[in-house]
Amino acid sequence: MIIEAIKDRIETELLVFMDELDREHFLSKTSPFLFRIIREFTLRKGKRIRPILFLPGYLGFADRAAENLYHCALSIELLHNFTLVHDDIIDKSLFQRGKPSMYAYLTEYLKKRRRIKFNVKDMAPASGDVMYALALSAFLTINECWDRKEKAFKRLIRSAVSTGSGEFMEILCGTTGLERMKKTEICKIYELKTADYTFAIPLVTGAILAGADEKETGRLLRFGKNAGIAFQIKDDLLDILDAERVGRRDPFIEVQEAN
Amino acid sequence: MIIEAIKDRIETELLVFMDELDREHFLSKTSPFLFRIIREFTLRKGKRIRPILFLPGYLGFADRAAENLYHCALSIELLHNFTLVHDDIIDKSLFQRGKPSMYAYLTEYLKKRRRIKFNVKDMAPASGDVMYALALSAFLTINECWDRKEKAFKRLIRSAVSTGSGEFMEILCGTTGLERMKKTEICKIYELKTADYTFAIPLVTGAILAGADEKETGRLLRFGKNAGIAFQIKDDLLDILDAERVGRRDPFIEVQEAN
């Protein structure tokens, strides 16, 4: 029930949030097409695991909800969307959250244009970069004291470095072959690429912003990393099972469930 | 002479800076290959326009140099390097700063691998994303008061949004054809993509960090944007002239001059 109430509030705030980002960065003025697709992409239905984890991370240690708490929570969702855009380019995924992926969307857009000098792999990073910057800017809107904001923000950035490194490591491993990979390497990729920013970071940054101490955030970090690795193992197993049952499920539903 | 002294100091600090980034983010441990290429790429000779402009922007309004002032200046250089990596992917440029571009480097790396599931356009965004995150984290290392840091950082992020939007707009224009473009559109792309983050932002963020008021930073912003547009016009003219003189110049030298 509490999770459902948080999720409803997140969906409502997401609408307000997108309008505020637009006002702050003049996006619909300078880049109407780009803003339209980012907005549509962001407002798609999703599980919202990251903002949902961020909120108890914060509220578990705070006396009251700070101003713009939900915007701060949503910034992590936006950061996730940015990684989805970059991942879909890498995997050439056509669907994301039950609708065409940004990769598919831009491919379609380019098909209709007569002069195609660039391809979709050129356009999508730029749209992802804008989402990345918007997310980071939104994280700082929370009205909390500066030392906590700095500490939480640095942790968020460190996690962005980990995610990028994990993504890079995964691609490198793809060039040597799965059967040669060690279990520890796979776990390291899970930890860097998924566990840190999906589970650990929402909990830990929320707690840091609310003033939790090192011991408390250390516990949340360990819990988040382990829960994240477990999540990713299950997610990969489901992918394998789904691949074996090809044709029996609707790809739109599969995609919705995976994120 | 002053500019030369600043540039020498920048080069010295860049070495220290890369080691500190490594210690902070454990990069050579978790991603040795990625860190090695980012380090090599960052330490290549360059004009260093952005950190050079940042320093007088700061020192013109400050009583003294804050701790980690140079690290903060270098973060803008790193941010620039990140855009070079993404641009080289889009343009399929083989050279950058007189050496193989990250695009060329990774293409070569993949050629030597037997199982190639991914291509270089998949790998390069991840390396760019890591550089982006490292740059933002470094900007916050300066020891200045928090309200100034927040204000300067938000301006830096807004500029990152502009740069991404400008890049996206340029790609869109490429699909409709140059002869159909309006002069105002070209100037808007120049402003968003180059002028803001190359000239205006180093000056303005430096000044904000040192405590300059709105009026003073407003002047620097206008100067920076106009100087940046002029720079880009000249840069494009040189590109056209160079294209007409193909074969007469060494591509390594051309690339060094362009950045």
Side-chain angles (χ1 to χ4, degrees), chain A residues 30-31 86 114-115 121-123 129 132-133 136 140 146 149-150 157 165 169 171 175 179-180, chain B residues 30-31 86 114-115 121-123 129 132-133 136 146 149-150 153 157 165 169 171 175 179-180:
Chain A
T30 54
S31 282
H86 275 198
R114 286 174 309 168
R115 297 154 185 266
K121 292 214 174 197
D122 303 322
M123 289 178 89
D129 295 344
Y132 195 177
L136 295 177
L140 293 172
W146 265 112
K149 272 168 87 164
E150 182 184 27
I157 293 280
S165 308
M169 202 190 273
I171 294 173
T175 67
E179 67 285 0
R180 288 195 196 176
Chain B
T30 55
S31 282
H86 275 198
R114 287 176 307 168
R115 297 154 185 265
K121 291 216 174 198
D122 302 322
M123 289 178 89
D129 296 343
Y132 195 177
L136 294 177
W146 265 112
K149 272 169 88 164
E150 181 183 28
F153 190 77
I157 292 279
S165 307
M169 202 191 273
I171 294 172
T175 66
E179 67 285 1
R180 289 195 196 177

Side-chain angles (χ1 to χ4, degrees), chain A residues 78-79 82 86 127-137 156-157 160-161, chain B residues 82 128-130 132-134 136 157 161:
Chain A
L78 207 58
L79 207 61
F82 144 76
H86 275 198
S127 55
D129 295 344
V130 171
M131 288 163 86
Y132 195 177
L134 289 174
L136 295 177
S137 131
L156 183 75
I157 293 280
V161 174
Chain B
F82 144 75
D129 296 343
V130 171
Y132 195 177
L134 290 174
L136 294 177
I157 292 279
V161 174

Side-chain angles (χ1 to χ4, degrees), chain B residues 153-219:
Chain B
F153 190 77
K154 283 189 173 170
R155 195 63 196 76
L156 182 76
I157 292 279
R158 193 186 291 170
S159 166
V161 174
S162 298
T163 309
S165 307
E167 201 181 334
F168 197 81
M169 202 191 273
E170 193 178 31
I171 294 172
L172 286 191
C173 288
T175 66
T176 52
L178 191 65
E179 67 285 1
R180 289 195 196 177
M181 280 182 75
K182 291 176 201 143
K183 206 170 131 189
T184 47
E185 281 176 327
I186 297 172
C187 277
K188 193 75 207 166
I189 292 171
Y190 281 167
E191 184 188 326
L192 288 174
K193 205 190 155 214
T194 307
D196 197 49
Y197 99 98
T198 305
F199 284 80
I201 286 310
L203 287 168
V204 168
T205 53
I208 293 173
L209 283 167
D213 63 28
E214 292 286 334
K215 208 172 158 185
E216 290 160 331
T217 55
R219 280 181 191 143

Side-chain angles (χ1 to χ4, degrees), chain B residues 68-79:
Chain B
N68 289 334
L69 174 66
Y70 275 81
H71 284 201
C72 188
L74 289 171
S75 73
I76 308 183
E77 178 69 14
L78 207 58
L79 208 59

Side-chain angles (χ1 to χ4, degrees), chain A residues 18 31 44-45 57 61 66 85 145 173 187 193 208 234 240 251:
Chain A
M18 289 313 291
S31 282
R44 287 181 190 178
K45 290 266 169 288
F61 296 95
V85 170
C145 46
C173 288
C187 277
K193 206 191 155 214
I208 293 173
K234 196 178 166 195
I240 295 167

Side-chain angles (χ1 to χ4, degrees), chain A residues 228-248:
Chain A
I229 291 172
F231 168 86
Q232 192 59 51
I233 290 172
K234 196 178 166 195
D235 199 51
D236 281 358
L237 285 175
L238 283 176
D239 274 352
I240 295 167
L241 289 175
D242 286 346
E244 287 172 359
R245 283 181 291 175
V246 156
R248 282 178 56 200

Side-chain angles (χ1 to χ4, degrees), chain A residues 88-107:
Chain A
D88 287 345
I89 306 169
I90 295 175
D91 300 335
K92 296 194 185 70
S93 301
L94 296 175
F95 296 102
Q96 190 52 264
R97 291 180 165 166
K99 291 185 180 180
S101 66
M102 192 76 99
Y103 172 76
Y105 202 111
L106 295 173
T107 304

